[in-house]
Amino acid sequence: MRWALLFLAAFALQPALADSDLPPAYWANRQLPNAQQEAQAQALMNELRCLVCQGQSIADSDAELAGDMRDLVRRRIAAGEKPNAIRGWLVQRYGTWISYKPTAEPAARPLWLAPLALLLIGAWLLRHRIKLKAKT
Amino acid sequence: MSRASRIIPLLLLLVIVVGMAWRLVKPADTAVPSQLVNRPVPAFVLDAALPSKPSLSSKDLATGEPRLLNIFASWCVPCVGEVAVLGELKRKGVKIDAIAVRDRPEAIAAFLARNGDPYERIGSDPQSNVQISLGSSGVPETFVVDGKGVIRHQYIGPLTAANIPGVIEQMKVLR
């Protein structure tokens, strides 16, 4: 029992090593009073990638930097900035990496063509099958 | 189905397994480089992180000679090792300014008293705003800034003793 408690306590200690002891930024975990602006902020935060927990959006991540980025997004939206302008400002700094929204740049073209290619392959396979059935 | 096409799924599986094994042995690089390299430092003004040290603004980084801009925090473990390397660079004549991310004056003072203080100016960035505007994704990171205030290089992660000759060389080239 004592060992189990010690083991659990070790988990409680972990975050202290990687984080500051400052409180989260004001708008990190607080909704904007204007529902329409909050919806805009939420939509954008879901499409921005967290720099710390790569693979999570800043809306999902508990990392402090993600909290500071949510604060930045909400403050700018509240100040009347358009979501795409905020995204562009971040892309200028971190590259297209920061945004989950696929772009039309050449590197992303296979992504756009993949569904079409898969549909064609599927149709071809199906045609083959139907023919075989018709023969028997 | 012909005999040859029967092994296609097996081949696909093999490709997937080999791909996964390769990524396990050689993990992808997770560093996110700043896009501001070879661009001017974005304008900012920060409060002094310590009462005893001058504050930092983007103007202080365009002084006619190259400087290092170190992004650090007293709560960052790798920064403890890095600050000794920065001290060595300072002894070799490199000018170093810093941005303390999400930090308190007492904590920074204790950190510098314990590990040495290589900094001329330290700005306090309590909500990572300037860190984000620099395209920096964590602590520690170090930017090489030339005399005109243009970012010339970014080191992601702590500088080590092995980086010292390279940094000195960069400073010479930019002078």
Side-chain angles (χ1 to χ4, degrees):
Chain A
M1 183 65 197
R2 197 188 295 166
W3 285 109
L5 275 178
L6 208 66
F7 185 69
L8 285 176
F11 276 98
L13 280 176
Q14 252 180 350
L17 285 174
D19 279 342
S20 75
D21 61 350
L22 289 194
Y26 188 82
W27 290 113
N29 303 312
R30 197 174 265 132
Q31 299 196 332
L32 290 171
N34 179 327
Q36 202 194 336
Q37 284 183 337
E38 176 61 23
Q40 277 186 343
Q42 280 292 343
L44 179 59
M45 291 185 303
N46 274 311
E47 284 179 355
L48 292 176
R49 196 195 295 221
C50 174
L51 292 153
V52 185
C53 310
Q54 304 182 351
Q56 277 189 308
S57 71
I58 61 167
D60 288 332
S61 174
D62 281 335
E64 286 192 320
L65 192 57
D68 288 344
M69 283 173 78
R70 289 196 297 274
D71 178 80
L72 180 140
V73 166
R74 286 201 173 102
R75 261 187 296 118
R76 288 185 169 213
I77 296 259
E81 206 171 321
K82 290 272 173 295
N84 265 334
I86 303 169
R87 187 201 310 272
W89 187 86
L90 284 166
V91 167
Q92 259 178 21
R93 275 140 183 92
Y94 294 106
T96 44
W97 190 94
I98 194 82
S99 171
Y100 276 123
K101 195 179 178 184
T103 59
E105 64 184 288
R109 270 174 210 162
L111 194 69
W112 293 105
L113 292 175
L116 203 66
L118 287 173
L119 263 177
L120 287 175
I121 293 170
W124 181 77
L125 282 175
L126 214 58
R127 209 188 60 130
H128 217 66
R129 277 258 157 126
I130 289 164
K131 260 191 192 166
L132 282 176
K133 280 250 170 91
K135 263 185 201 166
T136 52
Chain B
M1 242 187 188
S2 70
R3 184 159 282 195
S5 64
R6 232 174 259 177
I7 61 165
I8 289 178
L10 204 64
L11 284 177
L12 276 176
L13 180 72
L14 197 72
V15 167
I16 291 170
V17 168
V18 167
M20 285 179 166
W22 172 61
R23 268 310 185 207
L24 274 176
V25 175
K26 211 179 152 67
D29 184 12
T30 54
V32 185
S34 172
Q35 304 292 305
L36 295 186
V37 175
N38 292 323
R39 299 217 188 155
V41 173
F44 68 86
V45 178
L46 285 177
D47 289 337
L50 287 175
S52 57
K53 265 207 196 271
S55 60
L56 183 70
S57 76
S58 45
K59 282 193 189 115
D60 300 319
L61 296 168
T63 54
E65 56 179 345
R67 315 178 73 84
L68 290 186
L69 172 60
N70 183 231
I71 318 281
F72 84 110
S74 68
W75 45 266
C76 143
V77 178
C79 297
V80 176
E82 189 192 46
V83 83
V85 174
L86 293 172
E88 187 59 34
L89 284 167
K90 185 197 174 189
R91 274 189 288 284
K92 298 200 158 142
V94 178
K95 303 267 195 282
I96 308 166
D97 298 308
I99 292 175
V101 177
R102 294 192 134 266
D103 223 330
R104 296 179 199 278
E106 322 82 79
I108 299 170
F111 175 88
L112 296 178
R114 203 177 327 121
N115 304 307
D117 178 3
Y119 305 124
E120 291 192 2
R121 295 169 169 273
I122 308 179
S124 175
D125 193 11
Q127 293 181 0
S128 321
N129 283 327
V130 174
Q131 184 185 27
I132 295 169
S133 79
L134 282 163
S136 155
S137 48
V139 280
E141 278 187 19
T142 307
F143 291 93
V144 179
V145 184
D146 73 8
K148 289 182 185 141
V150 176
I151 296 171
R152 289 302 179 189
H153 192 80
Q154 179 195 24
Y155 290 95
I156 297 175
L159 289 173
T160 61
N163 292 118
I164 292 177
V167 173
I168 304 265
E169 186 58 34
Q170 276 172 328
M171 290 293 162
K172 260 189 212 150
V173 170
L174 292 174
R175 202 169 287 275

